[in-house]
Amino acid sequence: QVQLVESGGGLVQAGGSLRLSCAASEITFGFNVMGWFRQAPGKQRELVAAISSGGTITYADSVKGRFTITRDSGKATVYLHMNSLNPEDTAVYYCNFQRSGYFYWGQGTQVTVSS
């Protein structure tokens, strides 16, 4: 059982920046994917960004050019650097870890962007 601990959410003004962190409870091995999803009130959870253990990165179109995902594989930690935030980015952000068909979720961290 992989446990994920998130940090870094908060309240920021439009145009501002935040960095989210997510640490896995164990050193990952084998092919895996770590990433971030978000869920706004009344909306479905959606992929924001993901990075595989091989370094392949995926971004949602809505965050391309503004968000950057990085990963410290040695520490099983993934970061989401969010710039040029706008109110549409307001949501609960969830860290996700996938390996061998298993999905694990963090508890979620609130990001609120004020206009």
Side-chain angles (χ1 to χ4, degrees):
Q1 183 79 9
V2 176
Q3 294 183 332
L4 304 171
V5 179
E6 303 150 339
S7 61
L11 173 65
V12 65
Q13 290 187 331
S17 300
L18 283 174
R19 188 185 79 161
L20 305 183
S21 301
C22 173
S25 61
E26 62 179 62
I27 299 297
T28 57
F29 59 90
F31 178 80
N32 57 78
V33 180
M34 296 188 75
W36 293 91
F37 287 69
R38 67 185 181 186
Q39 188 166 19
K43 295 187 177 181
Q44 290 187 330
R45 190 173 297 190
E46 63 176 1
L47 172 69
V48 177
I51 181 168
S52 74
S53 52
T56 299
I57 294 175
T58 300
Y59 291 106
D61 287 342
S62 60
V63 306
K64 285 180 180 178
R66 300 188 299 122
F67 292 10
T68 302
I69 188 169
T70 59
R71 179 170 178 171
D72 183 341
S73 297
K75 295 183 178 181
T77 302
V78 66
Y79 304 93
L80 186 66
H81 309 263
M82 305 185 293
N83 297 316
S84 301
L85 285 161
N86 59 62
E88 289 69 40
D89 296 315
T90 295
V92 178
Y93 284 69
Y94 295 92
C95 181
N96 172 264
F97 176 77
Q98 304 173 31
R99 183 178 66 201
S100 302
Y102 289 89
F103 289 70
Y104 302 90
W105 296 95
Q107 79 280 4
T109 184
Q110 178 70 46
V111 172
T112 302
V113 184
S114 63
S115 58

